[in-house]
Amino acid sequence: MILSIGSDLANIDRIRATLERFGDRFRARVFTEIELRKAARRADEAGTLAKRWAAKEACSKALGTGLAMGISWKDMGVSNLRSGQPVMHLTGWAADRLAAMTPPGHEAIVHVTLTDDHPWAQAFVVIEARPSA
């Protein structure tokens, strides 16, 4: 069953300007090491990070908290499978919130999809609960 959804649209040029203004301080506050390594390998670092920014915003909306209720940017992170498929990882307060919203006898699965078309980066997150095996 679908528990919730979230979406976000981020402006790549805005993320690029923030990177130029705040640099490593911004990177360290918002992104996980895995996300930063991925972005460093890409020609368009800002585009890669903008998609991950959007994924974190979308995930916080799907969790029903937004970013104002104690959730940390780094409690949500995106990695990629070998196929390229993005995967959302939750830790800390985000993982606690996910556990609290998951019905007994179910496991939660967080689906994420990312896309970009300059100057926009977009993410959708769907949180699904499947009966435990």
Side-chain angles (χ1 to χ4, degrees):
M1 83 181 86
I2 302 300
L3 295 180
S4 62
I5 62 169
S7 68
D8 192 67
L9 185 66
N11 185 290
I12 295 168
D13 293 331
R14 183 175 145 245
I15 297 298
R16 181 174 286 108
T18 302
L19 286 165
E20 289 169 1
R21 183 170 180 198
F22 298 104
D24 288 340
R25 197 169 94 205
F26 173 64
R27 286 178 186 90
R29 181 176 151 255
V30 176
F31 301 103
T32 66
E33 287 300 317
I34 291 170
E35 292 168 323
L36 292 172
R37 282 195 304 271
K38 172 103 175 161
R41 292 190 309 264
R42 296 296 180 104
D44 183 14
E45 177 193 24
T48 300
L49 293 178
K51 286 187 281 190
R52 279 138 186 86
W53 171 282
K56 293 166 187 273
E57 287 275 8
C59 186
S60 71
K61 292 170 186 175
L63 290 169
T65 64
L67 285 156
M69 296 179 63
I71 197 166
S72 166
W73 287 102
K74 290 174 120 180
D75 285 347
M76 301 167 287
V78 177
S79 68
N80 295 83
L81 300 177
R82 282 179 130 356
S83 66
Q85 177 184 347
V87 178
M88 180 68 70
H89 304 276
L90 304 181
T91 60
W93 197 89
D96 293 344
R97 172 67 183 140
L98 180 64
M101 64 188 286
T102 304
H106 289 75
E107 64 177 319
I109 295 137
V110 181
H111 303 276
V112 62
T113 187
L114 310 172
T115 191
D116 65 292
D117 187 5
H118 194 271
W120 302 108
Q122 186 174 33
F124 287 94
V125 170
V126 176
I127 299 177
E128 174 187 8
R130 289 186 189 162
S132 299

